[in-house]
Amino acid sequence: NAGVMQNPRHLVRRRGQEARLRCSPVKGHSHVYWYRQLPEEGLKFMVYLQKENIIDESGMPKERFSAEFPKEGPSILRIQQVVRGDSAAYFCASSPGTSAETQYFGPGTRLLVL
Amino acid sequence: GQQLNQSPQSMFIQEGEDVSMNCTSSSIFNTWLWYKQDPGEGPVLLIALYKAGELTSNGRLTAQFGTTRKDSFLNISASIPSDVGIYFCAGQSTGGTSYGKLTFGQGTILTVHP
């Protein structure tokens, strides 16, 4: 996975709690993408960020979900007041630019909402 | 939105057999990619295709970018047990804020019997 780190790898939350997922991109990469994978499905694009800016959030649910990529530190995907339907694997990918072949995926965070 | 239809959903083959899977799209993509995902991990890029009609090989893998830019196939020759996993096609469009965002197929689950 060329150095993309995600933590935690597994996260269990009860309905109504908040989930915070972290992604540390490959050193030097300024582009971060978040994708969600429901069981037995392909990955679905959620949001694309460059440092300090949200470029495309067309795949993000309108409520409860937010993402940031601050100047310093990892990118964060935050899910407030989680529901059972939020249970999924969340992957981030980082890239030095927008070319698809340079998008390296992290190992994912598996979120389980009880 | 853009959709990719990937088939077959799953395949059970004997070691040494060849495998073929394909993706079709309702819209045009500028780049087609094929990924492999092992259990508990993120997708790893296998092959990237950039031109309509392009045929590219990577070891025992061969992939083609359809001439209409709406389809692609992946062949695996002489399968081995470590080929087991989920294979995804993905397409990328360029232009506007879609640049960099990947659209994934539903995946093909490959099982190889020794």
Side-chain angles (χ1 to χ4, degrees):
Chain A
N1 61 21
V4 178
M5 306 286 287
Q6 286 189 252
N7 67 81
R9 292 291 302 270
H10 298 274
L11 182 61
V12 180
R13 284 287 178 267
R14 296 193 181 278
R15 280 179 295 171
Q17 291 184 321
E18 179 179 283
R20 241 179 226 231
L21 288 62
R22 295 174 191 79
C23 169
S24 296
V26 172
K27 189 176 181 181
H29 285 190
S30 59
H31 300 249
V32 166
Y33 305 81
W34 285 93
Y35 295 84
R36 176 165 63 176
Q37 184 179 32
L38 295 172
E40 300 183 8
E41 291 189 11
L43 283 71
K44 296 275 196 303
F45 168 80
M46 298 181 75
V47 62
Y48 161 41
L49 310 103
Q50 292 183 30
K51 278 288 186 182
E52 299 184 271
N53 293 304
I54 296 174
I55 306 300
D56 180 359
E57 56 182 347
S58 58
M60 287 273 271
K62 294 277 188 282
E63 298 177 349
R64 302 188 297 109
F65 285 71
S66 62
E68 61 179 17
F69 188 16
K71 187 176 179 181
E72 302 289 339
S75 176
I76 306 285
L77 179 68
R78 183 186 302 165
I79 312 172
Q80 295 178 302
Q81 298 176 328
V82 296
V83 301
R84 288 205 175 126
D86 296 332
S87 296
Y90 292 83
F91 293 94
C92 84
S94 78
S95 174
T98 53
S99 294
E101 75 276 12
T102 59
Q103 230 175 92
Y104 294 96
F105 283 84
T109 293
R110 272 92 187 147
L111 172 65
L112 176 63
V113 180
L114 301 176
Chain B
Q2 295 173 321
Q3 290 186 327
L4 292 186
N5 292 310
Q6 186 172 348
S7 64
Q9 282 190 318
S10 60
M11 302 184 74
F12 298 84
I13 62 170
Q14 291 292 129
E15 183 177 359
E17 289 184 353
D18 297 345
V19 170
S20 185
M21 58 193 80
N22 68 80
C23 265
T24 58
S25 169
S26 57
S27 50
I28 290 173
F29 288 106
N30 299 101
T31 303
W32 278 91
L33 308 105
W34 286 92
Y35 290 85
K36 182 182 180 220
Q37 184 179 28
D38 291 325
E41 299 297 330
V44 175
L45 181 65
L46 299 173
I47 289 182
L49 302 153
Y50 305 102
K51 291 183 184 177
E54 178 181 358
L55 186 71
T56 297
S57 293
N58 179 6
R60 294 179 295 107
L61 307 178
T62 302
Q64 183 156 31
F65 192 154
T67 54
T68 64
R69 293 198 285 159
K70 290 185 177 182
D71 61 302
S72 177
F73 72 75
L74 174 71
N75 286 340
I76 305 173
S77 63
S79 58
I80 58 178
S82 62
D83 290 335
V84 165
I86 307 176
Y87 291 80
F88 291 99
C89 61
Q92 184 193 43
S93 300
T94 54
T97 57
S98 65
Y99 202 66
K101 176 172 65 179
L102 298 176
T103 302
F104 282 83
Q106 305 97 320
T108 295
I109 301 171
L110 178 62
T111 304
V112 180
H113 294 287

